[in-house]
Amino acid sequence: MRKFISFALALAVILAIPGVAQAKKADKPFEGKVTAIDTTANTITIAKGKKDSQVFKAAGATVTVDGASAKLSDITVGMRAKVTVGATADTATAIAATTHKKEGKKNKHATPTPTPAST
């Protein structure tokens, strides 16, 4: 009987670990580039890098574009978006999209703009 209880306890702990990991993942917003919008299915696909992408159910999510209230259909492919994840890892509670590129990255190969010579 003691072995059965130990086994049951160990099994319960092992089965609970993915749920804890999933809850931690749900706490963090998912940020990246919008790669697809489906207004019929109410989904948005966000890519974070080349291999990491996620499809979120957006029904009922609060949507903003550049800080202003918007609809899912106002978001276009190529925008950057930050998705606040809901109770499940594939449900969005808020989507904040921006039309401008992420700040901080400069083109190190860009040619500087010449300044006019004073006479």
Side-chain angles (χ1 to χ4, degrees):
M1 182 70 170
R2 187 176 243 169
K3 285 183 180 182
F4 176 75
I5 292 172
S6 296
F7 175 75
L9 183 60
L11 183 62
V13 169
I14 290 170
L15 293 175
I17 290 173
V20 171
Q22 189 72 10
K24 288 189 178 227
K25 185 177 180 180
D27 290 343
K28 294 185 179 182
F30 195 90
E31 296 183 58
K33 188 176 183 179
V34 177
T35 57
I37 295 284
D38 185 342
T39 55
T40 304
N42 281 324
T43 60
I44 182 170
T45 305
I46 308 292
K48 185 189 259 186
K50 293 183 180 179
K51 294 185 179 181
D52 190 14
S53 67
Q54 174 101 19
V55 177
F56 295 97
K57 297 173 191 168
T62 303
V63 179
T64 59
V65 174
D66 292 331
S69 183
K71 299 178 288 189
L72 186 63
S73 60
D74 296 327
I75 299 175
T76 58
V77 171
M79 287 183 169
R80 299 215 36 94
K82 178 178 179 180
V83 176
T84 303
V85 180
T88 60
D90 67 342
T91 303
T93 57
I95 303 167
T98 55
T99 56
H100 59 281
K101 290 185 178 181
K102 191 174 182 180
E103 305 245 348
K105 290 189 176 183
K106 293 185 178 180
N107 185 353
K108 60 184 174 183
H109 301 292
T111 306
T113 305
T115 54
S118 54
T119 53

